[in-house]
Amino acid sequence: HVTGVQTCALPISRAHVGGIFLNYRYQALVEGPGRPAFATRVSLILPSGRASGASDRTGVQVNLPFSKQAGRVYVHWNAGFTWMHAMPGLAGPENQTTPQFAGSLVWNTRPMLNLLLESTLAFQPSIGAGLTRERDRITTISPGVRGGWNLSNDRQIIVGAAAPITFDGGSHETAGLLYFSYELPVTSNR
């Protein structure tokens, strides 16, 4: 089992951190010949401060990610959803579910140093003209880098940084993302 902590993207134009993710991952399949790795993830989203935006609400995120290695390049694809509590709605606060799909390429340039190119597609609930419920198609492309250090007893520290660019309709926003994870050993009771 692997645990970690991550935060939402920090917009460059604001001084607001956003929600904190507490992650739980389960390694259901290990990669093998003709078989990708599969490690489900469930994240509890906790607000980090005052509710000033959509990224600072209580929620849950579930993802079903698959991975496959081809030489020094890793390919990842993912499907899941994010459920957020008390988001602004037509008749006041309401719970909202956003389906999402993602893919990434990871180039292992050196041991424990990776260059990343990630993308996501989310269908965010919104309120349209005439007060109708709609779903906005939101695409994010995020170049980044991550590195790590092996510690004693099969533990690791992983740090990373990325510059996500989000496209929503005709506009776009650039942000910064910092990542820190303390990885514990994987154990099995089987």
Side-chain angles (χ1 to χ4, degrees):
H1 302 105
V2 181
T3 59
V5 176
Q6 69 189 47
T7 61
C8 289
L10 173 63
I12 293 173
S13 61
R14 301 183 208 151
H16 181 69
V17 173
I20 296 173
F21 286 56
L22 298 177
N23 300 321
Y24 174 79
R25 291 185 184 165
Y26 178 73
Q27 188 75 44
L29 290 176
V30 176
E31 181 181 4
R35 181 182 66 222
F38 176 56
T40 60
R41 177 172 63 84
V42 176
S43 299
L44 177 62
I45 305 169
L46 301 172
S48 63
R50 58 190 163 86
S52 64
S55 67
D56 203 18
R57 303 274 197 261
T58 301
V60 174
Q61 188 175 79
V62 175
N63 280 292
L64 304 173
F66 292 87
S67 300
K68 188 73 177 147
Q69 181 179 0
R72 293 173 55 189
V73 175
Y74 296 82
V75 179
H76 306 283
W77 58 101
N78 191 351
F81 68 90
T82 302
W83 175 87
M84 299 297 287
H85 176 67
M87 297 293 287
L90 286 171
E94 63 183 37
N95 299 333
Q96 294 181 352
T97 303
T98 303
Q100 63 229 7
F101 304 93
S104 68
L105 295 173
V106 179
W107 177 27
N108 189 17
T109 60
R110 294 178 26 191
M112 303 297 287
L113 181 63
N114 308 127
L115 296 180
L116 314 164
L117 180 59
E118 301 174 297
S119 64
T120 63
L121 172 61
F123 297 94
Q124 178 73 40
S126 66
I127 301 169
L131 298 177
T132 59
R133 294 180 194 273
E134 296 181 356
R135 289 210 177 258
D136 294 336
R137 181 179 170 156
I138 301 169
T139 304
T140 302
I141 298 172
S142 181
V145 62
R146 75 173 168 213
W149 296 269
N150 289 321
L151 305 175
S152 61
N153 300 327
D154 297 326
R155 289 167 167 76
Q156 292 180 333
I157 291 178
I158 307 293
V159 295
I165 304 166
T166 301
F167 301 91
D168 181 4
S171 65
H172 72 280
E173 180 178 290
T174 302
L177 177 88
L178 299 176
Y179 178 87
F180 173 83
S181 181
Y182 178 65
E183 306 286 337
L184 301 173
V186 176
T187 61
S188 175
N189 294 331
R190 294 183 233 174

